[in-house]
Amino acid sequence: MKKAENIIVGISIGDLNGIGSEVILKTFEDTRMLEFCTPVIFANVKILSFIKKNLNSEAALHGIDRIDQLVKGKINVLNVWKEGVDINFGQNDDVVGKYAIKSFVAATAALKEGLVDVLVTAPINKYNIQSEDFKFPGHTDYLDQELEGNALMFMIQDNLRVGLLTDHIPVTDVAKHLTEKLIIQKIETINKSLKQDFNITKPKIAVLGLNPHAGDNGVIGNEEEKIIRPTIKKLFDKGIFAFGPYSADGFFGSGQYEKYDAVIASYHDQGLIPFKTLSFGAGVNYTAGLNKIRTSPDHGTAYEIAGKGIADFNSFKEAVYLAIDIYNSRNEYEVLVKNPLKTKEKQL
């Protein structure tokens, strides 16, 4: 198993006109972070130095042209491009969007090739990243294509873990996407993630209903009775401890979520509104279900405060910590699965 400082954290720069660069620099200004990992920022050292100067950051950047030139104990910046880019904080800019994707695609390639151990992505603007070469709604959909497995949006803050059956689709389309196949796939993905990524031996998963009051036994919609409840029973009979469907309106406010290792919501806002309310800016977006590890902060580009030096970097820092923790957990899980008797003897 790698020592802490040998864990290489690849970082995509995100939208250069947003707060991504600021939260990255603030995270690694604290040199103690370099005891936990070796960061490699996929960007351009001259541009990041310009942003650093604008923010009066004390982060010491080390520019490299190849990833094998990285230095432990340094904030490495891999030059993905050489040319200059005009930075206008707070502005939506299609050119800047193209560089955000250049960074992300290069970082993903390095992750696939094992040149970095984990990937942490700074926020992008979903509108200015679109092009003939990149036609994805965001990071997760591209990673789902490039990496093995089935991507699932999993929001994490300590013991609060919220997954989604459907994510970036219109609310009007949610019901028709809720099939038995999808529900089984997503719950199995969460169950596996809880075991291998969070060291939970027998996970308990709560499933929220789609309709108000979880359908009230078919009075307010029938998706719960026709699809969700029978699928949960099928999974339970297979040995996956899934429970529900529960009425979503009081589930978080009553503290009921604390009885479970994860909660899975039917659609984006059903899960993310309570999550972001409870996580107080320390939440992390983790892409579960893939053969590689990717995390990101739970916020966007925040154009309205970009370049002002006032961005809260806590969520990004937590994203780095979580990526490292999951990397270590997966290594331990692999050892346990491959050598269960040996691991048990070691514990004794």
Side-chain angles (χ1 to χ4, degrees):
M1 194 175 294
K2 284 191 172 185
K3 292 181 179 178
E5 71 276 8
N6 290 337
I7 296 174
I8 302 170
V9 177
I11 299 169
S12 61
I13 196 65
D15 191 305
L16 290 160
N17 286 344
I19 64 168
S21 300
E22 180 180 342
V23 297
I24 293 168
L25 291 170
K26 282 182 172 177
T27 295
F28 291 104
E29 276 179 354
D30 185 346
T31 55
R32 289 174 298 180
M33 288 296 293
L34 302 175
E35 297 172 12
F36 293 103
C37 64
T38 295
V40 182
I41 305 167
F42 288 73
N44 173 278
V45 72
K46 288 183 179 178
I47 290 167
L48 205 52
S49 295
F50 166 80
I51 294 172
K52 169 189 161 179
K53 185 177 180 182
N54 181 83
L55 296 168
N56 295 316
S57 169
E58 295 180 2
L61 304 179
H62 175 69
I64 57 175
D65 293 316
R66 300 190 318 272
I67 204 158
D68 60 5
Q69 297 173 330
L70 67 83
V71 177
K72 293 170 195 166
K74 299 281 187 184
I75 305 168
N76 299 276
V77 183
L78 179 65
N79 291 312
V80 178
W81 65 86
K82 299 286 187 181
E83 65 273 17
V85 181
D86 289 333
I87 306 298
N88 295 289
F89 293 115
Q91 298 298 310
N92 179 6
D93 185 337
D94 289 348
V95 174
V96 164
K98 288 175 184 175
Y99 284 100
I101 292 308
K102 274 190 178 184
S103 169
F104 173 55
V105 168
T108 302
L111 183 68
K112 281 177 71 174
E113 294 169 30
L115 300 175
V116 299
D117 297 310
V118 299
L119 173 62
V120 182
T121 58
I124 53 174
N125 181 324
K126 288 181 173 61
Y127 300 100
N128 67 29
I129 61 169
Q130 304 302 319
S131 69
E132 286 301 313
D133 298 323
F134 194 90
K135 296 180 179 179
F136 299 89
H139 291 120
T140 305
D141 305 87
Y142 181 77
L143 292 168
D144 195 33
Q145 172 189 282
E146 294 297 308
L147 304 175
E148 295 173 17
N150 294 295
L152 178 135
M153 191 173 178
F154 207 9
M155 306 302 293
I156 312 292
Q157 201 268 320
D158 291 336
N159 293 326
L160 172 61
R161 306 178 188 93
V162 179
L164 302 177
L165 291 177
T166 64
D167 41 54
H168 296 127
I169 64 171
V171 174
T172 51
D173 294 340
V174 170
K176 62 188 177 189
H177 277 79
L178 291 181
T179 62
E180 178 184 296
K181 181 181 177 182
L182 176 79
I183 295 168
I184 288 173
Q185 178 191 307
K186 297 294 186 180
I187 293 178
E188 285 182 341
T189 296
I190 282 187
N191 188 62
K192 182 179 178 183
S193 178
L194 290 169
K195 288 181 177 181
Q196 74 171 10
D197 300 334
F198 297 95
N199 294 321
I200 299 170
T201 309
K202 295 180 179 178
K204 292 197 301 179
I205 302 165
V207 184
L208 301 183
L210 169 66
N211 297 296
H213 307 295
D216 259 348
N217 296 313
V219 176
I220 315 173
N222 59 16
E223 286 81 5
E224 286 78 9
E225 300 307 314
K226 284 192 170 182
I227 303 168
I228 302 174
R229 195 181 303 279
T231 306
I232 290 171
K233 184 180 185 306
K234 205 173 264 192
L235 287 162
F236 196 90
D237 290 343
K238 284 173 61 179
I240 293 176
F241 299 124
F243 303 87
Y246 295 108
S247 177
D249 61 352
F251 189 83
F252 290 93
S254 65
Q256 199 173 356
Y257 71 92
E258 294 175 349
K259 299 175 184 176
Y260 299 92
D261 299 301
V263 181
I264 188 157
S266 291
Y267 57 93
H268 186 277
D269 283 12
Q270 186 190 61
L272 265 69
I273 289 173
F275 175 83
K276 290 190 177 184
T277 301
L278 291 166
S279 63
F280 299 105
V284 177
N285 178 2
Y286 167 47
T287 306
L290 299 177
N291 65 329
K292 299 288 185 179
I293 297 160
R294 174 260 177 166
T295 63
S296 72
D298 69 351
H299 57 73
T301 56
Y303 285 149
E304 67 279 4
I305 60 169
K308 297 179 181 178
I310 58 173
D312 184 346
F313 66 99
N314 198 37
S315 181
F316 187 87
K317 183 178 72 174
E318 291 298 326
V320 174
Y321 283 147
L322 183 64
I324 295 167
D325 286 345
I326 291 174
Y327 178 81
N328 288 328
S329 292
R330 282 198 181 184
N331 284 340
E332 290 170 8
Y333 183 80
E334 281 183 25
V335 171
L336 179 63
V337 169
K338 290 175 183 175
N339 302 294
L341 294 176
K342 199 171 188 181
T343 304
K344 192 174 182 181
E345 284 171 8
K346 188 177 177 183
Q347 288 173 345
L348 292 172

